[in-house]
């Protein structure tokens, strides 16, 4: 089955620099593979079987990330960057998918780093989609997909074309070694310009930053464990939690 | 979500895709109108996505809000594209200013709120608190039956129920700060004194094997909503905290005053859990 994997399209929230005045700067932050990107790769492999996997990404992260994990070739919109408002990034990624009309499945990491990107790609592509996906395999109907909804696992059959947003259960088990990474850099890499794919810029703009007014936790010094516990229990009783 | 939508003024319509019971629970809230896509039991809510998007064009809302539930995010994406709306996640509030919608979203791990001005419609994934918004009158409900689609649920597997964790009113979660399996006995004594279930972080199960898979709480494991969650020796990684975000009161015990969890709890004791846990048991007795 013809599958594409979309990878490294978001910023890791840990990398955000909060300046003294409360503004956030992403200067120098490269787009990174999320915890869920390796799961997207695994699922794309399970679906593709012996077919080639096309990798799609944007920005300035390592473009060979997916190639090192088995993708045959990579399409990269190098001058695009993840934005707080995701519709443009979604449109760019959808335009890349349309360049490969044979594609039947698009898999990407279903990351809470930016849920908006997942929704934006789904909407811009206009394909049916499932999120929270933990496994998928070819089936007579198209695909058999397992996904997690809260504490329940659902097994579904879905027709193609379809977008799957993959959720990882743990850290990547066997990351590629140096040899795979070096070989991946020799695989075909098609570099595109954002303006050629979708000239429309997002009309949204950041107009300010604020500190949230959520009350901070009441911290109790635990140097005297007995006293700390008495204080905590009194507070919990006052809240009706005990 | 409803209160946030109200901030923009105008009618607030609930688009519900799911069983009749879900629509009924929405009728208890103060929506102006409810459109209910009554999805057949063997279909996922996503089968309505295209239809809801088409309806969105007719209804022409200024904003569409969805929870971060997997199906809600898929439906939101289709509606956003249909409306040519801006799309933003981790949204805490909406406001209107100079003809634009100001979308406030949490960024930098929730340390800061970023205000984004959107000239047209906004589609947002809401991640703030749900406030009670009980209905005075039952909103008019339009029901649209959905009986077929390109997806089908063929099997539903409930999570392995570990020692009543999913329904426990009080839960003690232990992390790598536990140090060794022997130290579990002190936690078990506290659990008995509190009538609490025991949960843990992923490495406590996967790397250390101190507890089992059904004890793990977090994004990739169980989601729990106890009245009281006590996190002992847990750093507060997003993957863990997303499993306890519906807990009413969270207490953290950690010996690192800079631990991330202290930003996400109601009460924190800065101290050694090997001292605090037995002291807590004693104080309860
Ligand atoms: C449109 C909407 C607005 C709400 N507003 C409020 C509010 O203002 N105050 C309040 O106290 N509670 C509100 N709730 C209810 C609250 O968010 C419930 O806790 C939640 O819907 C159910 O969450 P869950 O984790 O129990 O179930 P989940 O597993 O998240 O969902 C159960 C079912 O509901 C469907 N569903 C979930 N979210 C949505 C959605 N946004 N739209 C359509 N289907 C959905 C899922 O696809 C699934 O079929 C609202 C719910 C909805 C659907
Ligand atoms: C795809 C993926 C999915 C994941 N899913 C989940 C999930 O569902 N659930 C989950 O929990 N994790 C999950 N994780 C792992 C998660 O990212 C964190 O690595 C994990 O939650 C950290 O566990 P911890 O807090 O126990 O350990 P650590 O981060 O090592 O923290 C230990 C804490 O204990 C404190 N401590 C040490 N000694 C003491 C002492 N004597 N007294 C008090 N405090 C002490 C330290 O200060 C520290 O804060 C997932 C990871 C990935 C990549």
């Amino acid at each position: 089955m013809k599958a594409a994997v979309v990878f490294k399209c978001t910023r890791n929230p840990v990398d955000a620099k909060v300046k003294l005045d409360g503004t956030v700067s992403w200067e120098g932050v490269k787009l990174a593979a999320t915890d869920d990107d390796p799961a997207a790769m695994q699922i794309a492999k399970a679906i593709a079987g012996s077919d080639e996997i096309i990798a799609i990404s944007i920005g300035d992260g390592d473009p060979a990330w997916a190639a090192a994990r088995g993708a045959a070739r990579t399409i990269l919109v190098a001058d695009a960057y993840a934005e707080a408002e995701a519709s443009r990034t979604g449109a760019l990624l959808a335009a890349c998918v349309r360049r490969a009309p044979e594609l039947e499945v698009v898999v990407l990491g279903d990351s809470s780093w930016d849920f908006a990107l997942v929704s934006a790609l789904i909407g811009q592509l206009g394909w049916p989609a499932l999120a929270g996906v933990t496994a998928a395999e070819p089936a007579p109907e198209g695909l058999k997909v397992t996904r997690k909804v809260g504490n329940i696992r659902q097994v579904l059959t879905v027709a193609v074309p379809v977008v799957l947003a993959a959720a990882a259960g743990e850290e990547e088990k066997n990351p590629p070694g140096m040899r795979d990474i070096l070989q991946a850099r020799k695989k075909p890499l098609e570099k595109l310009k954002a303006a050629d794919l979708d000239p429309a810029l997002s009309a949204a703009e950041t107009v300010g930053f604020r500190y949230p007014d959520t009350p901070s936790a009441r911290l109790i010094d635990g140097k005297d464990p007995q006293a700390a516990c008495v204080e905590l229990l009194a507070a919990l009783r006052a809240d009706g939690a005990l | 979500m409803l209160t946030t939508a109200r901030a923009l003024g105008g009618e607030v319509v609930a688009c519900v895709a799911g069983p009749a019971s879900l629509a009924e629970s929405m009728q208890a809230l103060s929506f102006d109108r409810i459109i209910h896509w009554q999805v057949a039991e063997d279909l996922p809510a996503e089968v309505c996505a295209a239809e809801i998007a088409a309806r969105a064009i007719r209804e022409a809302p200024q904003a569409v809000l969805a929870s971060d539930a997997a199906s809600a995010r898929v439906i939101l994406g289709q509606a956003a594209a249909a409306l040519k709306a801006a799309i933003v996640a981790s949204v805490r509030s909406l406001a209107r200013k100079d003809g634009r919608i100001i979308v406030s979203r949490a960024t930098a791990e929730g340390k800061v709120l970023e205000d984004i001005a959107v000239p047209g419609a906004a589609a947002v994934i809401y991640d703030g608190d749900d406030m009670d918004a009980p209905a005075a009158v039952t909103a008019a409900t339009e029901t649209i039956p959905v009986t077929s689609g390109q997806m089908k649920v063929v099997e539903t597997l409930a999570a392995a129920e570990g020692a009543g964790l999913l329904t426990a009113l009080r839960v003690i979660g232990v992390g790598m700060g536990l140090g060794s399996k022997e130290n579990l006995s002190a936690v078990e004594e506290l659990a008995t004194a509190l009538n609490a279930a025991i949960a843990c972080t992923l490495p406590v199960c996967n790397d250390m094997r101190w507890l089992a898979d059904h004890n793990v709480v977090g994004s990739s494991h169980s989601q729990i909503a106890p009245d009281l969650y006590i996190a002992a020796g847990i750093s507060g990684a997003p993957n863990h905290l997303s499993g306890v975000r519906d807990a009413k009161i969270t207490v953290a015990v950690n010996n690192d005053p800079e631990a991330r969890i202290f930003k996400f709890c109601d009460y924190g004791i800065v101290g050694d859990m090997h001292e605090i846990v037995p002291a807590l048991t004693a104080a309860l007795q």
Side-chain angles (χ1 to χ4, degrees):
Chain A
M1 204 168 258
K2 304 280 189 290
V5 63
V6 171
F7 69 99
K8 264 197 181 174
C9 293
T10 41
R11 308 178 285 203
N12 188 341
V14 175
D15 294 334
K17 290 175 201 78
V18 181
K19 297 190 196 155
L20 277 177
D21 62 359
T23 58
V24 171
S25 163
W26 294 95
E27 217 179 288
V29 174
K30 287 191 170 116
L31 302 187
T34 73
D35 288 345
D36 293 317
D37 284 16
M41 198 66 222
Q42 276 327 108
I43 288 174
K45 279 190 197 167
I47 291 168
S50 56
D51 280 331
E52 286 189 340
I53 295 171
I54 300 176
I56 299 171
S57 188
I58 61 166
D60 52 3
D62 172 15
W65 185 93
R69 288 161 175 80
R73 63 187 177 93
T74 301
I75 304 175
L76 178 73
V77 191
D79 63 343
Y81 192 67
E83 294 166 50
E85 193 278 293
S87 64
R88 183 171 193 240
T89 311
L92 290 174
L93 293 170
C96 292
V97 172
R98 288 196 198 98
R99 289 174 71 87
E102 72 277 17
L103 284 174
E104 294 165 291
V105 186
V106 172
V107 196
L108 78 165
D110 191 9
S111 175
S112 62
W113 286 5
D114 191 2
F115 278 146
L117 178 80
V118 176
S119 297
L121 173 60
I122 288 168
Q124 296 290 338
L125 206 49
W127 292 5
L130 286 170
V133 172
T134 54
E137 60 187 72
E141 298 85 352
L143 291 176
K144 191 171 147 193
V145 176
T146 307
R147 67 145 169 198
K148 186 173 178 287
V149 240
N151 288 319
I152 289 168
R153 259 168 222 288
Q154 268 181 349
V155 183
L156 304 103
T157 53
V158 302
V160 294
V162 69
V163 180
L164 302 180
E170 55 187 10
E171 254 173 74
E172 182 174 27
K173 278 231 175 78
N174 299 303
M178 212 45 197
R179 243 187 100 230
D180 299 317
I181 293 170
L182 291 175
Q183 270 176 349
R185 294 196 181 136
K186 295 185 195 132
K187 289 187 183 174
L189 173 67
E190 184 186 357
K191 278 197 183 176
L192 304 174
K193 287 217 159 61
D196 299 334
L197 291 169
D198 181 62
L201 291 175
S202 167
E205 62 169 324
T206 296
V207 292
F209 293 95
R210 293 176 284 136
Y211 284 111
D213 51 12
T214 37
S216 46
R218 177 163 151 198
L219 290 190
I220 302 168
D221 188 343
K223 276 210 191 76
D224 178 349
Q226 275 79 31
C229 291
V230 168
E231 187 180 338
L232 175 69
L233 291 182
L236 291 177
R237 285 198 181 100
D239 285 346
L242 284 182
Chain B
M1 237 197 302
L2 178 51
T3 311
T4 303
R6 283 261 177 258
L8 290 179
E11 194 188 29
V12 181
V13 182
C15 289
V16 182
S21 57
L22 185 61
E24 276 158 28
S25 62
M26 293 305 110
Q27 282 172 342
L29 303 171
S30 60
F31 289 102
D32 297 307
R33 203 148 51 84
I34 297 172
I35 309 171
H36 175 211
W37 281 268
Q38 184 162 9
V39 185
E41 211 171 303
D42 62 344
L43 298 177
E46 286 84 347
V47 295
C48 314
E51 219 183 293
I52 294 179
R55 181 66 181 255
I57 295 177
R58 269 209 282 148
E59 298 274 346
Q62 320 155 49
V64 185
L65 292 83
S67 73
D68 63 7
S71 37
R73 290 186 285 116
V74 166
I75 295 170
L76 182 80
Q78 304 288 15
L83 294 167
K84 298 194 170 54
I87 177 158
V88 182
S90 305
V91 170
R92 297 289 166 80
S93 65
L94 298 174
R96 179 187 299 290
K97 200 181 170 203
D98 304 331
R100 295 192 292 185
I101 295 177
I102 308 292
V103 177
S104 296
R105 67 147 192 169
T107 186
E109 297 192 284
K111 288 187 212 106
V112 178
L113 294 177
E114 177 175 11
D115 290 333
I116 300 165
V118 174
V124 306
I125 298 166
Y126 180 71
D127 155 21
D129 292 331
D130 266 337
M131 272 172 278
D132 258 340
V137 286
T138 304
T141 304
E142 172 187 351
T143 305
I144 303 166
V146 181
T147 52
S148 67
Q150 287 167 314
M151 307 175 175
K152 208 172 177 154
V153 179
V154 291
E155 204 182 341
T156 301
L157 311 156
E161 171 68 78
L165 177 61
L166 300 185
T167 50
L169 296 179
R170 294 171 191 168
V171 175
I172 305 168
V174 291
M176 294 299 284
L178 186 65
S180 76
K181 189 166 182 169
E182 289 69 59
N183 294 332
L184 259 183
S185 57
V187 177
E188 284 159 356
E189 280 163 30
L190 176 59
T192 307
L194 257 183
N195 191 19
I198 295 180
C200 68
T201 61
L202 189 60
V204 165
C205 161
N206 272 13
D207 302 345
M208 311 313 294
R209 310 257 160 228
W210 295 333
L211 283 161
D213 199 61
H214 64 243
N215 295 110
V216 180
V217 161
S219 56
S220 56
H221 289 70
S222 295
Q223 324 280 307
I224 57 172
D227 291 340
L228 176 63
Y229 182 65
I230 301 180
I234 290 177
S235 59
N239 277 322
H240 181 72
L241 291 184
S242 67
V244 293
R245 67 176 182 182
D246 292 331
K248 283 209 188 85
I249 290 186
T250 301
V251 175
V253 179
N254 200 303
N255 60 5
D256 173 6
E258 299 300 320
R260 184 176 190 271
I261 194 151
F262 287 133
K263 303 254 179 329
F264 296 87
C265 63
D266 301 288
Y267 299 100
I269 297 186
V270 184
D272 184 346
M273 66 174 281
H274 307 307
E275 293 175 10
I276 304 297
V277 167
L280 210 46
T281 311
L284 278 162
Q285 280 155 358

